[in-house]
């Protein structure tokens, strides 16, 4: 059974799947689709043209589907597509795309304070530790692990099963493994 806390604001045109839980003070925008079993804890904001698969978990103050942070902005925005069984920890942010949808696969862990910018493509089974910053148009292949406070410059690719050490600043592509 879908449950929406009395203090949450869910736009009447938002689509909520079976068993979705929307906690206190959450905001769910007009163009949001939440798959079955998604759980939004307190103070989560999900907006933009955002499609979210099943069984995702959003912890307090996650901001998902916000407008891209880019200059100059000409009002062009796309969407955000998130797979299933992902976890978005406290204060994590993910923005919609500008040239194509931002995409996140399945079983991704985005830890506290991490950021995924516009037009990024994140594979499945990726671990993004606290404070990691992934810039626009970055591609992260499956099974990548980021240590805390790492950063990736725009338009870079992080290859399958790579490990990006804590504090690393990636200004070039990182090869697989």
């Amino acid at each position: 059974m879908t449950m929406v806390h009395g203090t949450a604001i869910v736009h009447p045109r938002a689509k909520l799947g079976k068993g979705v839980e929307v906690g206190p003070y959450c905001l769910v925008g007009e163009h949001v689709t939440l798959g079955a079993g998604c759980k939004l804890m307190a103070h989560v904001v999900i907006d933009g043209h955002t499609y979210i698969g099943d069984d995702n978990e959003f912890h307090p103050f996650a901001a998902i589907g916000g407008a891209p942070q880019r200059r100059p902005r000409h009002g062009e925005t796309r969407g955000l597509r998130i797979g299933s069984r992902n976890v978005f920890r406290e204060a994590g942010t993910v923005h919609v795309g500008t040239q194509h949808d931002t995409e996140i696969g399945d079983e991704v862990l985005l830890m506290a304070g991490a950021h995924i910018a516009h037009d990024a493509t994140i594979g499945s089974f990726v671990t993004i530790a606290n404070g990691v910053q992934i810039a626009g148009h970055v591609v992260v292949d499956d099974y990548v692990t980021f240590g805390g406070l790492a950063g990736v410059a725009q338009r870079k690719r992080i290859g399958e099963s790579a490990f990006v050490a804590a504090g690393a600043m990636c200004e070039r592509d990182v090869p697989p493994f």
Side-chain angles (χ1 to χ4, degrees), residues 41-135:
M41 299 178 196
H43 302 279
V44 174
V45 175
I46 302 181
D47 205 6
H49 289 271
T50 299
Y51 173 84
I52 299 172
D54 298 339
D55 299 314
N56 288 284
E57 191 176 293
F58 300 89
H59 289 258
F61 302 103
I64 308 298
Q69 298 177 50
R70 70 180 295 243
R71 199 176 47 207
R73 284 203 48 218
H74 301 291
E76 74 285 352
T77 58
R78 297 292 187 257
L80 168 61
R81 298 190 62 76
I82 296 173
S84 298
R85 298 173 307 283
N86 298 293
V87 177
F88 297 83
R89 293 304 306 231
E90 298 80 5
T93 58
V94 182
H95 291 155
V96 298
T98 59
Q99 296 174 355
H100 62 80
D101 289 353
T102 301
E103 298 179 19
I104 297 176
D106 298 324
E107 299 196 31
V108 171
L109 171 58
L110 183 78
M111 294 186 198
H115 173 68
I116 298 172
H118 62 87
D119 300 282
T121 301
I122 309 298
S124 295
F125 307 101
V126 173
T127 300
I128 302 171
N130 296 20
V132 170
Q133 306 296 297
I134 297 176

